[in-house]
Amino acid sequence: SMLFALFFGAGNLIFPAAMGQSAGANVWWAVLGFCVTGVGLPLLGIIAVGYSGCRDLREVASRVHPLYGLFYTVVCYMACFAIPRTGTVSFEIAVRPFLGADPSAFALPIFLAFFLGISCWLAASPSKLVDRIGKFLTPALLVTLAVMIVMSFATPMGDFQAPGKAYDEPIKAAFQGVLDGYNTLDAIAALVFATLIVNSVKEIGFTDPKAISSQVMKSGMLAGLLLALVYIFIAKIGAESVAAIGMQDTGAPVLAESAKVFFGSFGAYLLAAIVLLACITTAVGLLTCCAAFFMQLTGKFTYVQWVIGFTVISYLIGLFGL
């Protein structure tokens, strides 16, 4: 449950929605390709780190060469440094629509301080992540998503339209779906989050390497199944939405307008809840992993100090906007 929430950020919401609109009648082929890289590769990454018996990604990559291990791990962590984006995406989709046509210049700084402050507090105690995210935030996220998915079956917006150029043949649609799924960044993020999952399994009480590997594998399979189901249903909503809301530039307005069609003005509040929950869990996971890695790498400052440092850096970058 926690692993699913760590993976499931804003991009995981908007990419399949946009893909569904463009794929149209070939949406199921596109979803198949999307799941190969959006679910299959992250699952393999989690299983690989768990099976290796290594403490973290650096130790795994160091089997090539110690310098390669250091280089590759730093690149992965920096590539996954999407914490500022989680805050700015939340603001643009979940907050800005309620502020009118000309929101105050102080709106983004105030929201980022609130959003990242909560993320910092949640990340400051990694031993409590399973309880805070796995038992509370993830169920809340899944419930809000389920409400929207159920409405898409109860009152579908329309039929699948003709596919776009990149999806106009089944094989092309599947291949484009492979690229779309890789854009979620979860294939790389899996290598980062795997360390967090391995440590959580150990804290629960597992000590035998085979038992740890087994528990990590089960976690990855459950998270992968949940991801696949959500991708399928969000892509379906996107594919059916064209007749009702027209083609949109990105997945964000696809979801926003679809929510309004399903629920009227209440839809904006529902989507805001979905986006906030999805983004804050990813921000917490990234803060936790980055702080733990760089504390271990440098041997300087405490874990909490690194969390605070990355929070401040994320805040300053986020001020530039989405």
Side-chain angles (χ1 to χ4, degrees):
S1 179
M2 180 182 74
L3 181 57
F4 165 81
L6 295 177
F7 277 131
F8 196 75
N12 307 77
L13 273 170
I14 63 179
F15 289 153
M19 181 187 70
Q21 276 212 325
S22 299
N26 286 332
V27 64
W28 302 127
W29 287 97
V31 167
L32 179 63
F34 194 96
C35 286
V36 169
T37 48
V39 178
L41 285 183
L43 177 58
L44 288 176
I46 291 291
I47 292 174
V49 176
Y51 180 79
S52 71
C54 297
R55 293 170 298 174
D56 51 33
L57 174 59
R58 183 182 179 184
E59 188 176 341
V60 176
S62 292
R63 291 178 173 179
V64 178
H65 189 280
L67 289 178
Y68 174 82
L70 175 62
F71 170 77
Y72 183 75
T73 306
V74 171
V75 168
C76 283
Y77 274 88
M78 290 296 93
C80 291
F81 195 73
I83 303 166
R85 188 177 67 180
T86 61
T88 53
V89 167
S90 296
F91 177 77
E92 291 294 333
I93 299 179
V95 177
R96 191 183 182 95
F98 301 103
L99 300 180
D102 189 22
S104 167
F106 295 102
L108 177 60
I110 292 173
F111 172 78
L112 282 177
F114 177 76
F115 177 90
L116 292 173
I118 292 177
S119 301
C120 180
W121 173 71
L122 289 170
S125 301
S127 62
K128 298 180 180 179
L129 282 183
V130 172
D131 286 335
R132 289 173 175 172
I133 294 180
K135 295 183 180 179
F136 298 106
L137 292 182
T138 304
L141 171 61
L142 290 174
V143 167
T144 51
L145 277 171
V147 171
M148 192 167 179
I149 290 169
V150 168
M151 282 299 296
S152 75
F153 283 94
T155 57
M157 288 183 283
D159 296 325
F160 294 166
Q161 304 295 303
K165 184 177 180 181
Y167 303 87
D168 57 5
E169 296 177 8
I171 300 301
K172 284 178 64 178
F175 182 73
Q176 185 61 40
V178 168
L179 300 179
D180 293 337
Y182 190 76
N183 282 340
T184 63
L185 202 66
D186 285 343
I188 299 175
L191 302 173
V192 173
F193 290 148
T195 301
L196 189 58
I197 298 303
V198 169
N199 290 337
S200 296
V201 169
K202 290 179 179 178
E203 288 170 2
I204 291 171
F206 291 93
T207 55
D208 180 67
K210 289 186 178 180
I212 293 172
S213 175
S214 174
Q215 293 301 316
V216 170
M217 185 180 298
K218 291 175 183 177
S219 304
M221 293 179 70
L222 173 60
L225 176 62
L226 289 172
L227 283 172
L229 289 174
V230 173
Y231 291 153
I232 289 169
F233 292 130
I234 292 180
K236 171 186 176 293
I237 291 173
E240 293 175 343
S241 69
V242 179
I245 65 174
M247 288 295 296
Q248 303 294 322
D249 293 333
T250 68
V254 173
L255 290 173
E257 295 302 318
S258 297
K260 291 178 183 177
V261 171
F262 291 140
F263 302 103
S265 59
F266 171 73
Y269 295 100
L270 180 67
L271 183 63
I274 292 173
V275 171
L276 284 171
L277 288 168
C279 287
I280 203 166
T281 50
T282 299
V284 170
L286 290 172
L287 279 172
T288 302
C289 291
C290 288
F293 171 69
F294 284 100
M295 180 188 70
Q296 182 184 23
L297 178 65
T298 63
K300 297 180 180 180
F301 308 113
T302 65
Y303 168 80
V304 173
Q305 288 172 330
W306 276 106
V307 169
I308 294 172
F310 279 120
T311 301
V312 172
I313 292 171
S314 300
Y315 178 82
L316 294 175
I317 296 174
L319 291 177
F320 287 94
L322 183 58

